Amino acid sequence: QVQLRESGPGLVKPSQMLSLTCTVSGDSVTTYSGGWGWIRQPPGKGLEWMGVIVLDGNTFYKPSLKSRTAISRDAAKNQFSLQLSSVTPEDTAVYYCAAAEGGGSRWYEYDYWGQGTQVTVSS
């Protein structure tokens, strides 16, 4: 069974870059047939799919976040990462990494989830 764990700073200053890492066990980030994605939940709001990296290394992002978002993977560490640039307080949320056995372009398509990590954007 796939297990995921997020890590990264809990506090980021406005205009800076948010960087999170997801450590995977139970499968390989480079051979898993599904997608590895990032989803977030701002306070008082619903889940928001941010993007996904798939088997061939291609990435797909929510259009409104595409210009600020990058997802990559590290085969040696069996990790995948999220970078979100030029953050504002509106980017404050619980961030989840997750694995989808199929698709992965909607938050409800994900089968395995990390426990989530709180990121606050504040000066």
Side-chain angles (χ1 to χ4, degrees):
Q1 178 158 343
V2 177
Q3 294 183 315
L4 307 100
R5 184 179 76 252
E6 304 90 350
S7 59
L11 180 64
V12 182
K13 295 185 183 300
S15 80
Q16 292 188 344
M17 179 172 291
L18 181 161
S19 295
L20 296 175
T21 297
C22 185
T23 300
V24 177
S25 60
D27 214 311
S28 165
V29 296
T30 53
T31 62
Y32 182 65
S33 59
W36 305 101
W38 288 94
I39 297 115
R40 68 180 182 179
Q41 186 168 29
K45 297 184 179 180
L47 291 165
E48 177 186 29
W49 175 78
M50 300 181 69
V52 62
I53 185 166
V54 296
L55 177 62
D56 62 4
N58 281 337
T59 51
F60 303 89
Y61 302 110
K62 182 177 181 177
S64 62
L65 296 174
K66 185 175 182 179
S67 64
R68 299 196 291 132
T69 309
I71 296 174
S72 60
R73 61 189 182 185
D74 184 332
K77 296 181 180 179
N78 210 36
Q79 296 174 332
F80 65 103
S81 299
L82 170 73
Q83 290 189 313
L84 182 68
S85 62
S86 304
V87 297
T88 72
E90 286 66 42
D91 293 309
T92 294
V94 177
Y95 285 76
Y96 298 91
C97 61
E101 294 185 347
S105 61
R106 302 285 190 272
W107 65 263
Y108 49 80
E109 295 176 351
Y110 285 80
D111 304 283
Y112 306 99
W113 292 68
Q115 81 282 3
T117 187
Q118 173 70 46
V119 178
T120 300
V121 179
S122 175
S123 56

